[in-house]
Amino acid sequence: MNLNKKQVVGLLTALLLCAGCLTVPETPLLPGALEDLDRCAALFPSEPWECVHTIEAVIPGGMSSSLLGITRGDPAGRRLHTALLSPEGFILFEAEQREEKISVLKAVVPFDSPAFARGLMEDVGFLFLAPEASPSKWGRAADGAVLCRWENPDGSRKEIRCSTAVKIMLLDRHGDLIKEALLHGSFVKGLAPQVELQVYKPAPYRLKMILLRGTP
């Protein structure tokens, strides 16, 4: 097969974009019970809450940093307020979100880019706000795990899988994993004691969060 220069560049670009992609096929679902829906909903706070986490952030190359995160939310109004602090208590970033509008209240370098603000608030919403609509599909996987799936107009989908472990996933329209969260321990009104968030796209990083205090 002979390729011209433009085609070669296009092929290389596609390969680079797909490097590290993890494609997750749709899991066939068996009929579930009504209480299975309750299990998915119970993973998110249903009332206004405030929580404090220690956060270990890891980026490619093994670089890591320790932070303190304070988050408040109101599920009914889909409102979020988040602050990142240094271990000494200095505010590095603070923002609030109402529906889709993000207002940055404070941001110091390197937390001062619009992309960081958008990505952080997306992560917070991903972890703490339940999808607005009912699942488009739900039921049981072949191994008995409860699975709830929300399909978005752009072809992306959010999935919750509850078995011995709890996992929340966001996938693009090709089925490639954008981010996933593993939630450990016994939930108390939608707050998990430990959370591991792995983001794959557009830039990979990992967050390990331990709940210090929660007031749902």
Side-chain angles (χ1 to χ4, degrees), residues 33-179:
L34 288 177
E35 53 264 30
D36 294 338
L37 285 175
D38 294 334
R39 287 188 65 181
C40 292
L43 304 183
F44 304 96
S46 58
E47 300 176 355
W49 85 94
E50 177 175 323
C51 56
V52 181
H53 289 87
T54 59
I55 303 173
E56 180 186 358
V58 181
I59 61 176
M63 296 180 60
S64 64
S65 59
S66 297
L67 301 166
L68 193 67
I70 302 175
T71 302
R72 295 196 301 270
D74 178 4
R78 300 195 71 79
R79 298 171 60 179
L80 297 169
H81 184 282
T82 297
L84 290 180
L85 290 77
S86 69
E88 297 77 24
F90 180 71
I91 297 177
L92 305 172
F93 176 87
E94 184 177 8
E96 60 184 14
Q97 179 173 332
R98 296 187 180 188
E99 295 296 340
E100 301 299 323
K101 182 179 179 180
I102 298 173
S103 300
V104 177
L105 306 178
K106 181 175 182 179
V108 302
V109 178
F111 305 99
D112 57 342
S113 73
F116 176 83
R118 183 172 59 255
L120 177 62
M121 299 310 286
E122 286 178 355
D123 287 347
V124 174
F126 174 74
L127 293 173
F128 296 109
L129 288 181
E132 295 185 78
S134 299
S136 51
K137 297 178 183 178
W138 59 277
R140 294 268 178 160
D143 60 2
V146 173
L147 197 146
C148 299
R149 178 180 298 140
W150 290 262
E151 297 175 350
N152 302 313
D154 63 359
S156 64
R157 69 182 194 266
K158 184 173 186 176
E159 292 189 357
I160 293 175
R161 185 183 180 95
C162 304
S163 57
T164 52
V166 175
K167 180 184 290 189
I168 307 174
M169 298 185 293
L170 179 64
L171 305 103
D172 66 17
R173 62 188 181 90
H174 303 294
D176 293 337
L177 198 55
I178 298 174
K179 64 182 72 176

Side-chain angles (χ1 to χ4, degrees), residues 189-209:
K189 295 185 178 180
L191 296 175
Q194 297 183 45
V195 177
E196 295 180 38
L197 174 67
Q198 176 70 61
V199 176
Y200 298 95
K201 298 193 302 183
Y205 56 88
R206 185 172 73 252
L207 302 178
K208 294 182 179 180
M209 304 166 58

